[in-house]
Amino acid sequence: MRVRLFVGLLACVLSVPILAAGSEPGLADTTVALPHLQKRGTFTRLIVKGKPFLMVGGELGNSSASDRAYMKPVWPKLAQMHVNTVLLPIYWELLEPQEGQFSFGLIDSLIADARQHNMKLVLLWFGAWKNSMSCYVPEWVKTDTKRFPRVQNKTGRGQEILTPFAPENLEADRKAFVALMRHIRAIDERDQTVIMVQVENEIGMLPDARDYSPAANTAFQQAVPKPLITYLEAHKASLAPALQTAWQANGSKTAGNWEALFGKSLATDELFIAWYFAQYANRIAEAGKAQYPLPMFVNAALNRPNVKPGDYPSGGPLPHTIDVWKAGAPALDFLSPDFYNPDFKLWNDQYTRADNPLFIPEIKFDATVAAKAFYAVGHYGALGFSPFSIESTDKPAEQPIARSYDLLTQLSPLVLAQQESKTMNGMLFDRKTATDTIRMGGYTFICKHDYTLGWSPKAKDEEWPMTGALIIQTASNEFTVAGTGVVITFLSDDPAAPVAGIARIDEGKYVNGQWVAGRRMNGDQDHQGRHLRIPVDEFSIQKLKLYRYK
């Protein structure tokens, strides 16, 4: 007893946490806050170990993280692309191969390897659903369809999708997720390698707009749940247009079943299944957060114009169902788009809301992502950006995204310091959208695609490469521009001194947050004081000082 007392007193004096008997290593010093989202006004940022953190990320292919040996050459690739956050799947079937028997060896090895390469992790829980289907559930779940029932289509045929209306499905998924989160806390709370968790993956109903199982049909005829109606009434002025229109067209009723409130349509079927998917995800997130309250989100497989629900995964957290998800899943911190659609701005606009910060967990890994990353961070203040299957390249250091990420890594302290003050913006260009205007710090910036200058022979091509940049005000009359393929001219917003001149432009880099100037760009590079330019296929950071005159 005296020995225990002495050890306890010594720990207090030295401020060293002592683990209880039988505890797993890695428990945190409780003085260090867990990763969390910090919201101030309409702006939200991620805090890791007490400091703002920008996720310069990459998502692995679906099967890559299922084998540690396969991952061995992947980590150096990610490092060459300046990735600081890896999004990787955790597979229910590998976590719980036998009911109630959990295997954490793979997860432990992935966390250890991430630490070795100084990278953070966002875990993607491939539980009940992955891209709508239940392909990663354990075999003991797959083969027992009576205990773990599937959704049914209109003809009563079962699908390879667990129904959200079965308590046994939810309970089995919940138990596995709880075990995962409890274990992550035990081994990682001190190091905080794992900073966020995605609950399920691209939830949605196929091939019909909703489930037609007996339990689903019964629920469809019942009254719309009161929490959803309460949400509709509280947010009726700001609801997504499709939901607002459907509700108002049917009299904005506050009681009745789904068709009474929203009409008879596939859209109503989708709202119905969205509610129950959201409720299911909420229960999973609540249970996980009770063990380890990391930020949690759900991602959406985006629909395409003029495609009906069921031909795309119906009921996921899409722009037209996002309010149903907000009402049904308050335990989720935000909802995110997965990008395989061309209109980057349109979709980001719909996911960037006062109650929903933008995070892009998955986007097609192509040449456009290098420019899109600058725009997502600069214009939307995104929490992070993550091309899918980022390990698929054989030349990681030569990828355009590697060059973008190099600049964003240098700029991260500046970006995170400036986001809250709204002294940052971004631009994104192609042939169809080649100009933009940004006002900041008493100046108007006329921003254009580099090919608008007409100097390049490729300026006559029907298609132009996507280019983009971000701009940050760092002091009065001083700005930092980083990106690729842009040209910017300047106007003064002061009527008494309406002409803006370039005092100087320096190309350079940030080292540990401090600016190190390189070339002075006041000659041909700025066309003798006419503009700031970063040519197509070049990536650079340029520090600009302006002045005004009459």
Side-chain angles (χ1 to χ4, degrees), residues 222 235 257 351 383 423 451 528:
Q222 293 173 346
H235 299 84
N257 66 18
Y351 277 93
L383 298 173
T423 53
Y451 281 178
Q528 289 71 48

Side-chain angles (χ1 to χ4, degrees), residues 196-260:
M196 192 176 291
V197 179
Q198 178 184 288
V199 179
E200 314 296 343
N201 186 81
E202 294 188 355
I203 297 172
M205 176 66 197
L206 298 169
D208 295 306
R210 71 170 179 88
D211 183 5
Y212 283 88
S213 65
N217 289 337
T218 297
F220 189 68
Q221 296 303 323
Q222 293 173 346
V224 173
K226 186 62 177 176
L228 177 55
I229 294 174
T230 300
Y231 181 95
L232 294 176
E233 291 182 291
H235 299 84
K236 57 186 175 182
S238 59
L239 295 173
L243 177 59
Q244 186 179 63
T245 299
W247 186 41
Q248 291 178 348
N250 288 276
S252 301
K253 296 184 183 72
T254 57
N257 66 18
W258 291 88
E259 289 185 345

Side-chain angles (χ1 to χ4, degrees), residues 396-408:
E398 298 177 18
Q399 289 294 318
I401 191 64
R403 302 174 75 183
S404 290
Y405 275 7
D406 180 20
L407 302 190
L408 286 173

Side-chain angles (χ1 to χ4, degrees), residues 45-77:
R45 60 185 175 183
L46 175 64
I47 306 296
V48 178
K49 287 203 167 183
K51 297 180 180 179
F53 186 78
L54 176 65
M55 290 179 281
V56 181
E59 181 177 342
L60 299 180
N62 295 152
S63 300
S64 297
S66 64
D67 181 66
R68 188 183 190 184
Y70 183 90
M71 283 293 298
K72 186 175 181 179
V74 168
W75 298 105
K77 281 187 178 183

